[in-house]
Amino acid sequence: MAIDALNLAERLQTPVFVLSDLDIGMNLWITEAFEYPEKPEDRGKVLTAEQLAAFKENHNGQRWGRYLDVDGDGIPYRTLPGTRNPQAGYFTRGTGHTEYATYSERPEVWEAMLKRVEKKFDTARHLVPAPIVEENPDARIGIITMGSNHPAVVEARARLDKGGVGSAYLRLRALPIDESVREFISRYDRIYVVENNMDGQVATILRAELPDLAGKLVSLAKCDGMPLSARWITEQIAATE
Amino acid sequence: MTATPTRTPAPKTPKVNSIGLEKNAYKGGESTLCNGCGHDSISSRIINAAWESGLDQTQVVKFSGIGCSSKTPAYFLGMSHAFNSLHGRMPSIATGALVANKTLTGIGVSGDGDTASIGIGGFKHMVRRNVPMVYVVENNGVYGLTKGQFSATSDKGQKLKYAGVNNFMPLDVCLEALAANATFVARSFAGDAKQLEALLKAAFSHKGLAILDVISPCVTFNNHDDSTKSYNWGKEHEIQLHELNFVPSFEQIEIDEYDDEREVQLHDGSWLLLKKLGEDYDPTNKILAYQTLEDARRDQRLLTGIFYIEPETPDFNDLLHTVDTPLALLTQAETRPSREALKHVMEAL
Ligand SMILES: Cc1ncc(C[n+]2csc(CCOP(=O)(O)OP(=O)(O)O)c2C)c(N)n1
Ligand code: SF4
Ligand SMILES: [Mg+2]
């Protein structure tokens, strides 16, 4: 996962947060042995001194700009410090900058830059790990969760099944979400978003991302310092189903 | 009427440095600071020192935090990469970058707020790690960018238009650096061009972290004559510890034994010549450095020069045994451990 996170960070040129939780982080767990990583490293769009010199030629006469999106995915090319080409240097700053990394306070420049970042965010939806979905054509309800709640949800689904309440299941593995989440929510009458925090953060994010489906989402959030239990999840869902 | 013959002067060949560049090539974008701000003078000194030292800008990387001072890397060495980080977080960014590529020359610019207020923790750890870099604190005793609040180097009893009276003791950047085991500690004044340039050149040649605390008046919020960070106070109270000369390694010099001069050879073969002024000062004596800084603080003197230097102490990359190749240029075969290594780890668990 660390390799994937680093590859994504370099590909998307953005920090990637790997979320753990108290249950995973503070306890010893037995897992399958780690497999040797076969995926190659991905450094993303980095230009060498030579590639920079040939950039215009290879991009229909476009001059390289640090924040210029030349291939439509919202991700521009970058150079690394130490690149032996006098054009390679640029100034990284948080405030307004043009596609060529010069300072600007012009509103249209600022807005265009945010639009590009938005495009990059959409690109990210298809690069991050996709959710793992278990459809159930006979079910009326679906459950969405993430992380260390997984075993409790698996057990709760089995208990609910026994009581005659079948369910479909989507385990989120990353944000931002892709279309599969919309498709999953659309297919069922009610979706329980199970999470181990006080205020139902993932449910809030899903409602904001999919406002037209917000009415289908039921937040099941609990935070008492312990991992979620299958019993609690079962009781909450059984109370309404 | 006869026309006066005019003579077109022969075109002047522009002066170039040891790598064939004119001084203009070392400039950056246009400054947006207030007219007369000390920070702009320091940028000019950096441009001069870098040009005269023949620095290759593609191999330089600039860092800063947040503040008027931290904006200035946009105004010098325009061909270099630069990273304008978060307030007080320049040391973390710079440490990472200079470990990832130890062949680069690093220059960090920070303010007294950025270094001594919010960033004091990061500053001290960067000093104790001796990260190889030139670290300039543009010290005006005030938060300039946010319009005139007191910083951790503001004088006790100082009055500011909007902030009132400061009741707290100041931190002394040089004393803090010494206490954190700095290997190069100097102070200068933005209005003292000659000394500041010599110090900057020496700092570029230093092996580890070079701390330069430069008093740099803020003409908009802290330039009252009674402020120890004002132009007038600085001009009246500056006392140089020694007259300072820097001789780069590419210039041949004969070092003679003079009574009134002390020389220190830097790691890259260049020399610092310290000509004795009033006091007989030995910049390799740490106790003397503490004493001198503390005395100057009590006597309200702006003492400038090199307080302390250790030219040969290992730097951070020596201690970490980092490889010469920049980490980003290592191949996957060099960075990914073998199958056997993973198997070994798995079996050990
Ligand atoms: C985390 C954080 N806290 C506070 C600020 C607001 N802020 C911006 S600059 C600054 C002080 C700058 O003072 P100094 O470092 O002395 O720079 P100067 O402007 O005086 O050169 C402050 C408090 C910020 N940008 N980020
Ligand atoms: S406010 Fe002060 S520190 Fe900032 S640019 Fe103006 S004079 Fe310089
Ligand atoms: Mg300041």
Side-chain angles (χ1 to χ4, degrees), chain A residues 3 7 36-43, chain B residues 327-338:
Chain A
I3 295 175
N7 282 349
Y36 192 75
E38 304 294 346
K39 251 198 246 170
E41 273 174 12
D42 178 13
R43 318 275 345 193
Chain B
L327 302 190
L329 303 185
L330 292 173
T331 62
Q332 186 170 304
E334 291 167 302
T335 53
R336 187 170 286 185
S338 66

Side-chain angles (χ1 to χ4, degrees), chain A residues 36 39 41 79 82 90-92, chain B residues 59 81-82 84 332 335-337:
Chain A
Y36 192 75
K39 251 198 246 170
E41 273 174 12
T79 56
Y90 57 89
F91 190 76
T92 306
Chain B
Q59 301 307 303
H81 275 82
N84 189 195
Q332 186 170 304
T335 53
R336 187 170 286 185

Side-chain angles (χ1 to χ4, degrees), chain A residues 190-223:
Chain A
R190 257 180 313 289
I191 304 290
Y192 292 91
V193 184
V194 177
E195 43 190 318
N196 194 353
N197 61 60
M198 197 56 210
D199 28 35
Q201 293 159 6
V202 173
T204 305
I205 291 170
L206 293 178
R207 286 189 191 115
E209 289 254 8
L210 307 165
D212 52 318
L213 298 175
K216 285 190 164 193
L217 301 178
V218 182
S219 171
L220 291 185
K222 184 176 174 66
C223 183

Side-chain angles (χ1 to χ4, degrees), chain A residues 160-185:
Chain A
L160 286 164
D161 236 0
K162 266 194 200 151
V165 182
S167 62
Y169 179 33
L170 182 146
R171 180 158 70 88
L172 270 182
R173 294 194 300 161
L175 293 173
I177 57 169
D178 66 359
E179 303 82 39
S180 68
V181 179
R182 164 181 287 283
E183 287 158 14
F184 178 83
I185 297 175

